[in-house]
Amino acid sequence: MLVSTLLERLQSDPGRPRLTWYGDDGERIELSGAVLANWVAKTTNLLVEEYDVQPGSMVGVNLPVHWRTVTWALASWRVGATVVLLDGAPEDPAAGNLDVVVTDSPDSWTGSSADLVVVSLPMLARRYDGDLPPGAVDAAAAVMTYADQIIYAPEPDPGRPALTGSGVAGAAGNAVVGHDELVPEAGPEEGVRTLVDGRGRAADVLRQLLRVWAAAGSVVLTGPATAAALEADTARRDRLVATEKIERIA
């Protein structure tokens, strides 16, 4: 299944929560299928219209585990680009030949030849709180100006790479995951609401979300510090499980 098909399925029940985020600053964000698709559409339109991202384009993602990271990855996959997960600065071995870098740490990328998109992680941020490098796009301000529906997006080429970089493991141990293996076929447990620990590598967390969604489920994703706090305080975790109607802990 390609991400384009997955996004269509997530909108089949548009009001159902698909991604609930518990950030380490106490932030709780809930995205229904329709709202998640809306964010992905706006981000897709930005990537296509501003940077001509398409199959074969390399989009570097230098962000922590976060709900915004998910939307940027989904939008990149929707147009058939390769998401390159980055741990650090342009010296990262995975950072070569990038067309676009999406980051919350723009100062680390001023020497890169890639186009730079700067992401503000707080939900209520309307602009980046700092000085932008020359030519960089402020995602907080820019994304909201794009259409709520995808205007044009090329279909992904199943044979092209979809995910590579830090922490990625694909078929036969390769450090590349193709578009044709990115979204797994649905397993036996369908429609399950799953708690996903945000302390894992971004690659593992993204693949876990795709697995849950492929089975028509929904995700409660925690930031790393929140995940650690829940592990240390089982009563708090039990309250969260009950409140969010969580059926499985990944």
Side-chain angles (χ1 to χ4, degrees):
M1 184 195 311
L2 296 177
V3 163
S4 53
T5 302
L6 178 66
L7 290 169
E8 290 175 1
R9 292 189 180 184
L10 290 179
Q11 296 179 77
S12 63
D13 188 358
R16 181 183 176 191
R18 293 297 186 178
L19 177 59
T20 304
W21 163 252
Y22 278 84
D24 296 335
D25 56 359
E27 181 180 76
R28 179 187 182 277
I29 306 296
E30 184 165 280
L31 284 72
S32 66
V35 172
L36 178 59
N38 178 265
W39 276 102
V40 172
K42 286 178 174 292
T43 307
T44 298
N45 290 330
L46 184 153
L47 288 172
V48 172
E49 295 177 30
E50 188 75 23
Y51 301 113
D52 194 28
V53 172
Q54 57 189 296
S57 297
M58 306 286 283
V59 178
V61 176
N62 175 223
L63 297 170
V65 170
H66 194 276
W67 73 269
R68 292 192 188 274
T69 308
V70 178
T71 62
W72 280 97
L74 288 172
S76 300
W77 290 327
R78 175 61 186 83
V79 297
T82 302
V83 170
V84 184
L85 297 177
L86 303 165
D87 274 341
E91 292 75 20
D92 187 322
N97 302 317
L98 295 175
D99 297 296
V100 180
V101 171
V102 182
T103 182
D104 63 333
S105 305
D107 291 344
S108 299
W109 294 92
T110 54
S112 173
S113 61
D115 291 313
L116 194 61
V117 179
V118 182
V119 174
S120 300
L121 297 178
M123 176 62 180
L124 297 180
R126 292 293 179 261
R127 64 182 63 186
Y128 178 68
D129 186 17
D131 295 327
L132 290 173
V137 166
D138 182 350
V143 168
M144 299 307 294
T145 67
Y146 285 86
D148 293 343
Q149 302 293 324
I150 293 174
I151 303 302
Y152 166 74
E155 283 297 315
D157 180 345
R160 286 186 179 271
L163 182 64
T164 188
S166 178
V168 175
N174 297 328
V176 176
V177 178
H179 280 279
D180 57 352
E181 60 173 324
L182 185 63
V183 182
E185 293 301 320
E189 291 186 336
E190 293 205 5
V192 174
R193 188 150 168 82
T194 303
L195 178 63
V196 176
D197 189 325
R199 289 175 292 182
R201 285 180 175 269
D204 296 330
V205 172
L206 288 170
R207 298 297 302 281
Q208 179 65 37
L209 267 58
L210 293 173
R211 280 192 290 272
V212 173
W213 289 333
S218 63
V219 172
V220 177
L221 176 62
T222 59
T226 301
L230 291 172
E231 184 177 61
D233 187 345
T234 55
R236 178 183 172 187
R237 187 186 66 185
D238 291 344
R239 289 194 298 272
L240 178 68
V241 168
T243 300
E244 294 290 350
K245 297 180 173 58
I246 292 166
E247 301 162 276
R248 186 171 73 91
I249 299 176

